[in-house]
Structures are given as structure tokens and as C-alpha cells.
């Protein structure tokens, strides 16, 4: 094809996407190929998601070895009698469009889409933290593009140029491109004239072996979309291609475990109890209010404690205290407290109470002594309030510097590197996060990342220096079945329950 029209874009339509994926991509992006399954005629559609078994295997090697792994895969999945195995797809045959995903690294998920007529297949990450769709274009000669599948619009009879320029800056890198329009198929849904970007340059952050996916499929609201391009999910809803304006994630945990992304509905078999709904406060990201974080059965809000600039000096017994008193003295600044008390006694002597001749009462002197710092207990009106976004495109949990430093001390992790000993995991307790006025548990097996290859452990709590909100990525979301309702602008969470027999 002729690439003269897509070289060196000189202007960019989109606003810069938030800098959330700054965690090293070696931890974030691991993918391998998978087969797309149609919904069998129903309005409920599932998208296959999979993570690679070996981060050093590229897509071609994975495809070449698929049949060789077939018998081993059957054994690993321990299929129950009523589950069929599709030998051609190397996959569990789904019921009603439900398709399994495979987990190898607990860090990243991807699915398969096709673009154009005839179809050209691509692996993409389905990202609730962004709203655009982009794939590598054949004009792109960056090393990252040459290592992945590239879209050739000259091969598609349904391609239409939009002649716009496109750019998105991530924390780990950026992509530039041109806007196009073509038929997109995802999970059996055919979206005609879907706008997207085909990249003309991608920086080294998207190169193999760190990044094995081809592109990105945004699932946030249209207001976040760069260049005003209509997000695929929005277009599916507008054209009534799905039964309901919702989608749901079931992110698995554990090597070679299984999960699902469902468009147009949600699966009640995949969660326990009832969904607890939180209102989206700003229809841009999937953003909700965040009232606090607690460790174990401790009574003090870590977001309140982290307001102190010297969090490294706060004793752990204060952090995890079960005290229910209304206030607690600043015992970790002993010298300051001693000085405060001395000044208070001195002021009391210099300002003795005087008698009021009118009503014969003793008037207390004006309090000019320094205040002893007090911490408000959980549930107080003075509890700090911030916000958090649900982001499937981020692997870990990103928060403010002080809070993450405090959490790192509690769990015994190195604040700068996240490294921690695997030997003490059994002694760790759950954290509780208040979102939309509801408390949600995150257990050690979710907030501690265990590298299955290196046999090492690291904290999933990562400091973010420029994000205006907390980012709750896969480490949090895999503990819950997450339903995203675009019409009602709300998110529902319930403890995940996804045994293989439901596929």
C-alpha cells in the first residue's frame, strides 16, 4: 500500500491519556493468540482473553506449538464430563458465547478482534481506563510495529479514511497514528464503520518480549476518547448490537486458570451473593468515590494517617490499632508532644482564670497553646475523600506516595522496588477499601504479586506521582466479578465465583 499519507503526523487531535501504566511493561503485558467464538445468535457476547504461558514466546511460536500442547492443556484444565473440548480452537467450547481466558502471570489479559473485509486478526487489551481503539498500521516501521500484526487498509473493501491525526501518551510510552474507519468484529458482533486509529509510530515500550499484544480496545466513556472517535462499546449500544448497555469482566488468578469478558450482559454464575453498585461520579473514567483504606481489623483510616508528612515514623501498632476512642494523641512525635504539653502548662500559669463580676463564673483563658494533633476515626465527617477508577488496563494498585509508603511498611515491602519476602505471606491480613460508601476486601493473594517463573514476591501497591485519583487495576478487580453499566453509569462488584464447569 502507499504510506505517503500516514508518515510523520504533525498535529494530534486527542488529549493525552492519563499516565497510569508507568509500571514497567515487563510486568504488565504478556499475551498469546486465542480464538474468537461467536455468541450463537444471542445478544450476549463473550470475548476470549488470554495471557501467555511464556513471556518469551511470540505469537507465531505460540500458534505453531498450540497442537503440541493440546493433550497437556486437557490435563491441566481437568475438564468435567459435560465440557466439550474444541481441538481446532485449542479451547473449551463455550455455552451461549461464553469463552475462557487463560492466566499465566497475573498481570495482563488480551482478546482477539478482526478488522476489515476480509478479516485481519489482532490481539488487543480490553482497557476500561481508555476509550480509543488502535492497532498497528502497515505504514508503521517502528520496531514495535514490525514485531506485531499490522493492518493494511488497502486489503479491505470496507475501509474508509477519516484523515485525522492521532496520538496518545502513556506513562510507559506513546503511539502516533492516523484515523480510519472499517468493519470490526469482536466476540461475534460485527460493528460496521467503526472509527479507530492505525499507528504510524510506536515507541520501544511496545516491543517484544515485553509487549505481545498488537493494539488496544478502549471501554471507557466517549468523553475520554482522543479525537472525538466513537468508542466501540458506545457504537455497539447506539446501534443496538447488544441486548443491554453493559459489559462484565471476570479476571482469573492462577497459572492457566480461566476468565471472561462478556458484552451485552453479565453472568450470574460467575459471582457470589449480590452485586453491590457504586455510582460513577464522572462519566469519563469508571470513577467512583473512595473514602478510605483499613488494614485487618484496625480502626484507623490509612488515608487519614497518610496525611502526616512523616509517615515513616508512625509506629505500626498505631496503624493497626483497634482503639475505638474518638481521637488518638500524636505518640509517634514524642518530642513534639512533650514540648506541646510544656507550653500548655506554661500558658495555663500565665493566663490564670479570671472571675467574671457579672455572673460570678470563672472564665477560661483564650487557648493559645499549640494543638495536639488528632486523628479522626473511621466514619467521621472529617475522613479524607478521594476517588478511584476501575482500570483493567493497569495491572496493580496505584495510589498517592504517602499512602503507598504506609502500606508498604505494614506488609514489609520495599517502598521503592516493591520487593518483599514470600516467607511471611501467611501472616498478612486483608485490606478493606471503601468505595462509594461500601467496603470491599482485598486479600494478600491479590495485593502480593508472585512471579511464577522467578519464584519471587512483590507488592502490588505502587506509588503514582501524577495521578489525581487512585487506580484499582487487575490486582483488585480479579477478586471480584465487575459489571460496568454505561446507561446507568454505575459499577457493580461481587466476590468472584468462576469454576471451570460453568464454561
Amino acid at each position: 500500500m502507499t504510506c505517503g499519507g500516514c508518515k510523520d503526523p504533525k498535529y494530534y487531535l486527542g488529549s493525552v491519556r492519563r499516565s497510569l501504566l508507568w509500571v514497567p511493561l515487563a510486568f504488565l503485558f504478556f499475551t498469546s493468540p486465542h480464538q474468537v467464538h461467536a455468541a450463537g445468535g444471542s445478544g450476549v457476547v463473550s470475548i476470549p482473553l488470554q495471557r501467555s504461558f511464556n513471556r518469551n514466546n511470540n505469537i507465531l511460536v505460540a500458534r505453531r506449538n498450540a497442537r503440541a500442547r493440546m493433550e497437556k492443556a486437557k490435563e491441566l484444565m481437568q475438564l468435567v464430563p459435560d465440557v466439550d473440548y474444541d481441538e481446532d480452537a485449542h479451547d473449551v467450547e463455550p455455552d451461549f458465547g461464553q469463552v475462557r481466558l487463560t492466566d499465566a502471570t497475573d498481570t495482563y489479559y488480551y482478546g482477539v478482534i478482526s478488522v476489515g473485509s476480509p478479516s485481519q486478526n489482532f490481539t488487543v487489551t480490553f482497557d476500561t481506563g481508555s476509550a480509543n481503539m488502535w492497532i498497528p498500521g502497515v505504514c508503521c516501521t517502528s520496531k514495535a510495529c514490525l514485531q506485531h500484526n499490522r493492518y493494511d487498509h488497502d486489503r479491505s473493501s470496507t475501509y474508509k479514511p477519516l484523515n485525522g491525526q492521532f496520538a496518545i501518551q502513556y506513562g510507559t510510552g506513546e503511539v502516533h497514528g492516523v484515523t480510519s474507519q472499517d468493519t470490526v468484529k469482536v466476540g461475534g458482533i460485527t460493528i460496521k464503520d467503526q472509527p479507530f486509529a492505525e499507528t504510524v509510530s510506536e515507541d520501544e515500550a511496545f516491543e517484544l518480549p515485553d509487549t505481545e499484544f498488537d493494539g488496544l480496545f478502549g471501554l471507557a466513556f466517549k468523553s475520554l476518547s482522543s479525537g472525538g472517535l466513537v468508542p466501540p462499546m458506545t457504537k455497539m449500544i447506539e446501534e443496538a448490537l447488544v441486548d443491554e448497555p453493559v459489559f462484565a469482566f471476570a479476571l482469573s488468578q492462577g497459572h492457566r486458570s480461566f476468565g471472561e469478558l462478556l458484552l451485552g450482559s453479565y453472568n450470574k454464575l460467575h459471582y457470589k451473593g449480590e452485586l453491590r453498585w457504586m455510582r460513577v461520579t464522572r462519566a469519563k473514567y469508571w470513577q467512583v468515590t473512595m473514602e478510605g483504606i483499613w488494614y485487618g481489623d484496625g480502626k484507623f483510616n490509612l488515608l487519614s494517617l497518610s496525611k502526616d508528612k512523616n509517615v515513616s515514623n508512625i509506629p505500626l501498632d498505631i496503624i493497626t490499632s483497634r482503639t475505638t476512642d474518638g481521637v488518638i494523641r500524636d505518640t509517634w512525635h514524642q518530642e513534639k508532644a512533650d514540648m506541646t504539653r510544656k507550653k500548655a502548662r506554661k500558658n495555663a500559669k500565665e493566663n490564670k482564670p479570671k472571675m467574671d463580676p457579672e455572673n460570678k463564673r470563672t472564665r477560661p483563658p483564650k487557648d493559645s497553646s499549640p494543638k495536639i494533633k488528632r486523628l479522626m476515626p473511621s466514619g467521621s465527617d472529617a475522613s479524607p475523600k478521594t476517588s478511584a477508577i476501575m482500570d483493567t488496563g493497569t495491572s496493580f494498585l496505584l495510589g498517592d506516595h504517602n499512602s503507598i509508603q504506609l502500606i508498604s511498611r505494614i506488609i514489609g515491602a520495599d517502598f521503592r522496588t516493591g520487593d518483599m519476602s514470600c516467607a511471611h505471606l501467611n501472616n498478612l491480613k486483608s485490606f478493606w477499601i471503601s468505595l462509594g460508601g461500601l467496603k470491599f476486601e482485598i486479600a494478600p493473594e491479590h495485593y502480593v504479586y508472585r512471579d511464577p517463573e522467578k519464584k519471587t514476591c512483590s507488592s502490588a501497591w505502587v506509588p503514582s506521582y501524577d495521578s489525581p485519583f487512585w487506580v484499582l487495576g487487575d490486582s483488585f478487580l480479579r477478586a471480584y466479578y465487575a459489571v460496568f453499566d454505561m446507561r446507568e453509569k454505575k459499577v457493580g462488584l461481587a466476590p468472584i465465583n468462576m469454576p471451570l464447569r460453568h464454561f
Side-chain angles (χ1 to χ4, degrees), residues 98-234:
Q98 297 173 356
V99 183
R100 65 125 169 144
L101 68 91
T102 300
D103 173 14
T105 60
D106 286 338
T107 55
Y108 184 74
Y109 304 83
Y110 88 93
V112 179
I113 66 172
S114 64
V115 182
S117 304
S119 296
Q120 301 173 49
N121 293 335
F122 301 90
T123 57
V124 295
T125 174
F126 292 89
D127 183 11
T128 59
S130 64
N132 289 98
M133 172 186 155
W134 61 262
I135 53 177
V138 74
C139 291
C140 181
T141 57
S142 301
K143 184 178 179 180
C145 292
L146 296 176
Q147 292 176 332
H148 294 89
N149 297 313
R150 293 185 296 167
Y151 168 70
D152 186 347
H153 59 236
D154 282 349
R155 291 174 48 200
S156 175
S157 61
T158 49
Y159 159 75
K160 299 175 185 177
L162 293 181
N163 300 319
Q165 304 296 323
F166 176 87
I168 291 186
Q169 173 72 52
Y170 297 92
T172 47
E174 61 183 353
V175 297
H176 297 163
V178 294
T179 56
S180 302
Q181 186 172 286
D182 208 336
T183 297
V184 173
K185 295 179 181 179
V186 53
I189 299 176
T190 299
I191 315 170
K192 296 181 179 179
D193 299 324
Q194 173 61 46
F196 63 95
E198 47 180 301
T199 63
V200 297
S201 69
E202 299 177 16
D203 72 21
E204 61 184 11
F206 298 96
E207 295 176 4
L208 291 172
D210 293 338
T211 307
E212 293 188 1
F213 70 87
D214 297 322
L216 184 142
F217 191 102
L219 288 168
F221 292 92
K222 183 180 179 181
S223 58
L224 185 61
S225 176
S226 295
L229 301 180
V230 179
M233 187 66 198
T234 300

Side-chain angles (χ1 to χ4, degrees), residues 202-417:
E202 299 177 16
D203 72 21
E204 61 184 11
F206 298 96
E207 295 176 4
L208 291 172
D210 293 338
T211 307
E212 293 188 1
F213 70 87
D214 297 322
L216 184 142
F217 191 102
L219 288 168
F221 292 92
K222 183 180 179 181
S223 58
L224 185 61
S225 176
S226 295
L229 301 180
V230 179
M233 187 66 198
T234 300
K235 204 166 193 301
M236 283 185 262
I237 294 170
E238 291 175 348
E239 298 184 2
L241 300 179
V242 291
D243 286 344
E244 297 293 336
V246 302
F247 59 90
F249 275 95
L251 302 182
S252 61
Q253 177 162 1
H255 197 51
R256 291 181 172 90
S257 58
F258 306 98
E260 165 185 286
L261 166 63
L262 196 62
L263 297 178
S265 184
Y266 55 91
N267 192 334
K268 294 183 179 180
L269 296 175
H270 284 352
Y271 61 87
K272 304 172 186 176
E274 298 295 328
L275 289 166
R276 295 193 292 167
W277 295 96
M278 297 157 285
R279 185 67 56 185
V280 171
T281 57
R282 185 185 180 196
K284 187 173 183 180
Y285 299 100
W286 291 96
Q287 182 173 340
V288 299
T289 61
M290 180 176 180
E291 295 81 25
I293 303 176
W294 293 261
Y295 179 68
D297 53 5
K299 299 298 181 182
F300 289 100
N301 189 338
L302 301 185
L303 295 186
S304 294
L305 290 171
S306 66
K307 296 302 179 182
D308 188 273
K309 294 181 179 180
N310 298 312
V311 293
S312 60
N313 296 327
I314 304 177
L316 291 182
D317 59 344
I318 295 294
I319 297 173
T320 58
S321 172
R322 299 182 61 186
T323 303
T324 57
D325 293 340
V327 295
I328 182 171
R329 288 181 180 274
D330 193 3
T331 55
W332 57 91
H333 292 158
Q334 191 62 49
E335 293 183 0
K336 178 180 177 181
D338 290 343
M339 181 182 67
T340 299
R341 285 192 292 270
K342 290 179 180 179
K343 287 186 177 180
R345 287 195 295 268
K346 181 180 179 182
N347 289 334
K349 291 180 179 179
E350 294 177 352
N351 298 280
K352 291 181 179 180
K354 298 178 181 179
M355 189 67 70
D356 186 336
E358 296 292 331
N359 51 29
K360 308 297 183 181
R361 291 180 182 176
T362 301
R363 300 196 309 270
K366 184 178 180 180
D367 185 4
S368 59
S369 64
K371 302 293 183 181
I372 296 177
K373 183 177 180 179
R374 298 174 183 270
L375 296 175
M376 304 306 296
S378 59
S380 167
D381 293 337
S383 296
K385 290 186 179 181
T386 182
S387 60
I389 68 169
M390 311 291 177
D391 187 358
T392 59
T394 295
S395 293
F396 303 128
L397 302 108
L398 278 62
D400 67 87
H401 178 281
N402 274 13
S403 295
I404 299 300
Q405 185 177 2
L406 199 56
I407 290 171
S408 297
R409 288 190 60 221
I410 293 173
I411 63 177
D414 185 294
F415 169 65
R416 299 184 183 279
T417 65

Side-chain angles (χ1 to χ4, degrees), residues 424-470:
H424 305 297
L425 296 187
N426 292 335
N427 298 325
L428 296 177
K429 300 177 182 179
S430 295
F431 284 91
W432 294 84
I433 303 178
S434 179
L435 302 169
L438 305 169
K439 278 191 176 182
F440 297 92
E441 181 181 10
I442 176 168
E445 59 263 31
H446 293 122
Y447 67 73
V448 176
Y449 172 69
R450 305 189 71 164
D451 190 311
E453 296 178 0
K454 298 180 180 179
K455 308 298 183 184
T456 58
C457 293
S458 59
S459 171
W461 301 92
V462 180
S464 176
Y465 295 89
D466 54 4
S467 175
F469 36 63
W470 280 69

